[in-house]
Each structure stands twice: as C-alpha cells, then as structure tokens.
Amino acid sequence: MFKQFPLGGYRKKATGVTMIPASGIGVYSLKPVHKLNYIEGSTWSGDQEIGRIYYDQVVNTQHTEGVANIKISVDQLKKHLPNCKWIALVVGWFLDFNTKECVPMIETKRKERLEVINVDGEKYYRTILEDVIVDDDEYRMKVEEKTVFYGEESVTFLAVTSSLDDYWKVGNWTRENARLISDGMYGETPSDIEVLDAIRFFKEQGFKVCFYPFLFGYDTDKPWRGRLHFNYADEVNDFMSKDNGFNNFIKHYVDLLSTHNVEVDAFLVGSEMRGLTMSAPPTFPAVQHLIDLVMYTKQKLPNTKVSYAADWSEYHSDYATGIRHLDRLWKYCDMVCIDAYFPLTESHTENFYEIYNGWTSGEHYDWVYRDAENGDFTKITISPEYAWKNLKFWWENEHYNPDGTKTDWIPRSKKIWFSELGFSCVHSATVQPNIFVDTTSVEGGYPRGSTKETNFVVQAIALDASLEFLRKQEWLEEVFIWTWDARPYPAFPRDPFWTDGVNWEKGHWINGKFVSDEVLYIM
C-alpha cells in the first residue's frame, strides 16, 4: 500500500535537542568574532601604517552579516521544531589518550613575524601580528579608520589603536598557556564567557537548558572517549583526581555556573565513559567518583537536576561480569540518562511501523548476535533481565547481580531521559544508529549492510517512529535529538571555513534536512 507520509513528521514531536559543535572559534558567541592580522610596530620612526589591518575575517557570521550564527540557528530551531523546549548545550574539552588528561585546547595562537621594508635605501622591520582573535566589543573599542598622507595622496584603512585583548579564557587557561590542537583535528574549546552568554540567551528565548560537558578523544585517530579503560583502581583514581583529571573538568563548569549565578535546568557529570566506568571490577572505582560529582553538583547547583549520560551499552550492566555497576550511581541521580543508540531493525527499512516495533522486539530485546563484530550472526535468545533494549522491564523491576545480591535500584523510582537519540542519513541507519560517518576518525563508518548511499528519508521516518513510540512510555520523561548545530543552515555545511561540513550530508545533523512536505513510501 502507498501512503502519503510527512517527511518532517517528527518536527512537532521533538521536545529537545543537543546543540553542537561543542568546539570551534566563536561557535557559541553572541557577538561577531574577528580574526585579524595587523602591523603592530616598526623600526622606522616615520611609519604611518602602524596598526594597519590587512586581514580581517569574521568567523561566526557566515549566514547573515553582522549577526552571530548561534542567533540565526536558534531562530531556525524555533521555526522548524516549534514544540522544542530543551537545549542540551554540548561543550567540549579534550581527553588526551597519551597523557590521560582532560584539558581545554585552542585552534590557534598569535604569531609574530618580521617584514622588511625599504625606505630611501635603508632597511627597516615591521612587526606583524597574525591570528589575533577578538570579540566585537574589543574590536569596536580599539579599531578605527585611519587616514595617512603620502605627499598629495591619501590612503584610508582600518587600524588597531592599542593592544588587543583576546576574549578566550577557560578557567586559568588563556590563549597564551593553553595547548594547541593539531592542525585541523578539532575546533577549540568555547570560552567561558561565550558559554555563559549562550545559556543566558537560551533562557531568554524560553528554552530549558541542560549542560552537557563533552570529551573529544584526542589522538591521531580520534578515538571515542568510551575507549578509555584502566586495569587497576589506582590508575582510575589518578585519572579522576589529578589536576588535569576528569573530576576537575566537570567541577570547572559546576563552579563557573555557581559563581556567576547562571542557572541550568539539568547538568550531566559526563557521558559515555563506558570503558572508564567498567574499569577495575568488581569495585568499579570510577562510579564512586561519579557519585561524588553528582553530590558536588547538587550542592553547588541546588535547583538543577543532575545525572550521568550512560552509553546505551553501559547503563544496564558491565558486559564482562554482568554486575549492575551503575545502579549505585542511579540511586543518587535525579534521572537515568541514556545515549540511546539501540539497534531497531535487522536491515534497511523506511517502514514506519517496522521501526516503531523495533523498540519492543529484535536485537537486544529478544536476542543478541553471538559475535557480530567477527561475523558470527548466530542469534542467542535472551531473557528480559538481560535485554538492554527492554527499558520498561529494567525500569519497573528490582535488579540482581550474578551472585544474587540485590542492587540499590528501586523500581520506578525515577524517570529515564534519552540524553541522545539520533540516526544518520544513510542506508541502513536503523540497523546501527550508533555508527557515525566521519572519515577522520577510527570510529567512523557505515551501519552493517549499508550501501553507503545518502538517505534523508530514513532519518526522518526513524525519528518520527521513535518519538511516536517513546512519547507513550511511562518510564520516559525527556528526549534530546542528536543533533542540532549552532552553525545555521545553509552556511553550515557550505562554508569552507569549517572542515566537518563534509560529514553533514550523511551525518546525524537534522538542520537543513526538512527536505519536502511529503514523500511516497511503502507502509
């Protein structure tokens, strides 16, 4: 049977989004941000061009001149997802897999070079400053038109009148002492001031805000943060507790919000640190650190709901031992947050009902593959107790460890939030929603059985079917779609200033993919 289906049918069902890109110069700034090269000084005393700007790029107004991208993006969000009430602001630091440190990083530092000029046969030197980053307030205060005369001829140009101060600061890190990201690997951590301003802006626009601190895997192959794993408790404790460790990464933002009296409605003390939370069984020491972070956050932000966003393959139990390692964490959280990339179908489909029913059947509900990663697709039947996707059963029942001991979980005691729910725009997206298309990362790839063809339709139908199912579930309270970008369409992905635009077409982004009002597809 053929039926008309509204391709953007999920748009009125969407009540929350994550906002990325989490990193990049000025990505969350409400003001235009300038990148300048100019003449700072000269050994020639008669040099009239000191201060002259010869390169001036505004890096965050690609959509509308003079208006910061994030303002346009929020306008588009309100238009296309009219019932969206939540924004989860994703703010990125970097997890160095070599040093085992969590740090903010920058894309560029100021560079200084000398330029030779000849005047009446004499050689002089100009000092040129390059890659100077300033916000529009600093720019307007310290940049003005300057006219100089060379005989009867005059030249007018923009010039810097005094030393420019960079707005970028994250805690005690400035552009002078922060680590520099390898060229093109990632954008930089947003400055504290733009994070605070963005939250205030979202609140003014009527949104609730969830703060989502995020770790990019920093290594040559850009691994997922969930790969970090330790064998011993001492290693876990060191990683969590040292100066540039995980705890201080989270506490920085708790303290930032508390100090500036900026309220958020929810706060996540981390996400998808699967390898870390499963390290050093049976004590799983990272879990106690997360509990301590939850309690610290609640004390500092008393009006904020607090939780940890577990990976869909992490929230339930440690898959090596079967121990319900996170149940003692959920006891202290206000809600159970899951990044919900559960497989919904065995093969490619654009059938609404097949995807809808995938939430209560199939892989990780009725059965699991014996060893899909190594090509063994033998189906092993599982009971509801071990079914990761059977969230209703998990939520409304007591939990027991393999040794028979009952865990701290109290049935139906708190609701589940999907801190992430999303699908790529490729053939077979519903087979493995957790697979992201990114050619620069070892984690990038395509879902099992995919033809690798772009497919906006499957993303739209998968979101529509999933949201239709989820909004009827007693156990679920909030859903955040991954993902909405602060860089508005079509500036992103078209502007070459951003290197990740090549991933937009097949990726999990929903901006700009409301492609038509109706399509024909087989029900």
Side-chain angles (χ1 to χ4, degrees):
M1 177 179 73
F2 288 89
K3 181 176 179 179
Q4 293 285 347
F5 180 78
L7 187 55
Y10 71 88
R11 288 164 52 183
K12 291 184 179 180
K13 299 172 187 174
T15 57
V17 295
T18 57
M19 184 166 285
I20 63 169
S23 66
I25 298 176
V27 289
Y28 296 148
S29 177
L30 302 180
K31 308 164 188 172
V33 173
H34 299 256
K35 185 177 184 181
L36 307 173
N37 298 349
Y38 71 97
I39 302 168
E40 184 193 34
S42 176
T43 59
W44 175 36
S45 60
D47 197 335
Q48 299 183 75
E49 296 195 19
I50 294 175
R52 182 170 187 168
I53 296 171
Y54 62 92
Y55 177 83
D56 184 350
Q57 181 185 20
V58 183
V59 300
N60 66 330
T61 63
Q62 286 87 342
H63 186 281
T64 303
E65 184 176 356
V67 182
N69 285 330
I70 193 171
K71 292 184 176 181
I72 304 297
S73 180
V74 169
D75 283 345
Q76 293 179 348
L77 174 61
K78 292 164 75 174
K79 175 184 176 182
H80 291 295
L81 303 181
N83 295 318
C84 184
K85 301 295 189 294
W86 281 89
I87 293 175
L89 181 64
V90 186
V91 179
W93 281 29
F94 298 87
L95 169 57
D96 190 317
F97 270 72
N98 295 305
T99 65
K100 305 299 189 290
E101 292 181 312
C102 304
V103 291
M105 296 178 71
I106 53 170
E107 287 182 55
T108 184
K109 290 182 181 283
R110 294 186 183 191
K111 304 176 185 70
E112 184 178 299
R113 65 178 178 85
L114 295 179
E115 180 180 83
V116 178
I117 58 173
N118 290 287
V119 181
D120 297 330
E122 295 289 332
K123 184 184 291 186
Y124 297 94
Y125 296 92
R126 282 175 171 165
T127 302
I128 309 296
L129 283 186
E130 298 180 332
D131 293 347
V132 178
I133 311 296
V134 295
D135 66 18
D136 206 47
D137 288 346
E138 183 77 355
Y139 185 90
R140 289 175 180 274
M141 284 192 296
K142 297 181 179 179
V143 172
E144 61 183 34
E145 276 195 353
K146 182 177 180 180
T147 301
V148 300
F149 291 88
Y150 297 100
E152 295 182 356
E153 303 242 346
S154 66
V155 178
T156 300
F157 50 81
L158 290 175
V160 175
T161 60
S162 59
S163 180
L164 291 169
D165 295 323
D166 193 318
Y167 75 98
W168 193 91
K169 192 172 186 291
V170 177
N172 293 322
W173 284 277
T174 65
R175 200 170 291 278
E176 284 67 44
N177 64 14
R179 284 180 56 184
L180 189 64
I181 297 166
S182 296
D183 186 39
M185 184 179 287
Y186 291 107
E188 69 187 27
T189 299
S191 67
D192 284 346
I193 188 64
E194 65 183 288
V195 168
L196 293 171
D197 286 348
I199 293 170
R200 293 185 185 107
F201 175 64
F202 297 155
K203 301 288 274 187
E204 290 167 1
Q205 296 297 306
F207 290 97
K208 294 182 178 180
V209 178
C210 174
F211 192 85
Y212 192 150
F214 186 95
L215 285 175
F216 292 101
Y218 190 74
D219 205 344
T220 52
D221 56 0
K222 298 170 70 171
W224 173 45
R225 59 197 179 281
R227 303 290 179 201
L228 183 72
H229 183 270
F230 298 99
N231 292 321
Y232 303 106
D234 287 349
E235 296 173 313
V236 174
N237 292 328
D238 179 66
F239 170 73
M240 300 297 285
S241 300
K242 61 186 175 181
D243 286 347
N244 289 340
F246 186 89
N247 291 344
N248 282 343
F249 158 53
I250 300 300
K251 286 181 178 180
H252 166 71
Y253 287 108
V254 176
D255 294 344
L256 180 72
L257 296 171
S258 176
T259 299
H260 290 84
N261 294 314
V262 174
E263 284 198 359
V264 292
D265 301 277
F267 190 103
L268 303 178
V269 298
S271 69
E272 296 185 22
M273 300 299 293
R274 186 184 72 180
L276 178 66
T277 66
M278 295 182 183
S279 292
T283 58
F284 305 103
V287 176
Q288 184 59 52
H289 284 276
L290 291 174
I291 292 170
D292 293 343
L293 286 171
V294 167
M295 301 310 293
Y296 181 87
T297 306
K298 287 186 173 187
Q299 188 270 325
K300 290 277 190 172
L301 304 174
N303 299 319
T304 299
K305 291 185 175 182
V306 184
S307 188
Y308 166 77
D311 186 66
W312 63 280
S313 62
E314 172 192 14
Y315 87 94
H316 185 282
S317 54
D318 170 42
Y319 52 77
T321 65
I323 296 172
R324 308 285 188 132
H325 67 307
L326 291 186
D327 273 13
R328 59 192 172 104
L329 169 62
W330 301 136
K331 175 182 176 180
Y332 294 94
C333 293
D334 294 305
M335 60 283 192
V336 175
C337 288
I338 303 172
D339 289 353
Y341 296 102
F342 297 96
L344 299 182
T345 63
E346 291 185 66
S347 59
H348 175 74
T349 183
E350 295 168 19
N351 185 297
F352 177 95
Y353 294 110
E354 187 176 346
I355 297 169
Y356 180 100
N357 291 331
W359 283 98
T360 53
S361 63
E363 187 180 3
H364 289 297
Y365 195 94
D366 300 312
W367 48 264
V368 293
Y369 290 121
R370 187 191 301 276
D371 189 4
E373 288 188 8
N374 293 307
D376 186 347
F377 295 103
T378 304
K379 293 179 181 179
I380 307 298
T381 301
I382 55 174
S383 66
E385 183 181 1
Y386 299 105
W388 296 350
K389 200 167 61 177
N390 195 337
L391 292 145
K392 182 177 183 293
F393 186 91
W394 181 92
W395 180 70
E396 65 185 11
N397 285 281
E398 293 179 337
H399 300 165
Y400 293 87
N401 288 316
D403 64 1
T405 58
K406 189 166 73 170
T407 76
D408 289 328
W409 173 253
I410 299 173
R412 308 169 72 94
S413 57
K414 54 199 65 179
K415 293 296 182 75
I416 294 172
W417 288 22
F418 281 180
S419 36
E420 293 182 23
L421 172 74
F423 301 89
S424 62
C425 289
V426 293
H427 181 274
S428 294
T430 54
V431 177
Q432 289 181 294
N434 62 310
I435 301 296
F436 284 67
V437 179
D438 183 352
T439 57
T440 67
S441 171
V442 67
E443 309 290 353
Y446 291 87
R448 188 168 53 248
S450 177
T451 64
K452 303 183 181 181
E453 295 173 326
T454 300
N455 191 319
F456 288 2
V457 175
V458 69
Q459 182 194 62
I461 296 173
L463 284 171
D464 192 36
S466 295
L467 292 176
E468 182 63 25
F469 170 78
L470 293 169
R471 68 179 181 172
K472 300 173 183 177
Q473 305 310 307
E474 180 187 4
W475 44 265
L476 190 73
E477 188 169 44
E478 302 291 349
V479 178
F480 295 82
I481 295 176
W482 186 279
T483 189
W484 190 272
D485 206 299
R487 300 165 295 179
Y489 182 84
F492 180 80
R494 294 180 185 174
D495 195 293
F497 177 76
W498 300 297
T499 59
D500 59 338
V502 296
N503 294 326
W504 171 87
E505 181 182 310
K506 297 181 187 296
H508 284 60
W509 285 271
I510 59 174
N511 313 53
K513 293 179 178 177
F514 310 114
V515 292
S516 67
D517 292 330
E518 293 183 328
V519 293
L520 280 172
Y521 83 105
I522 300 175
M523 292 291 288

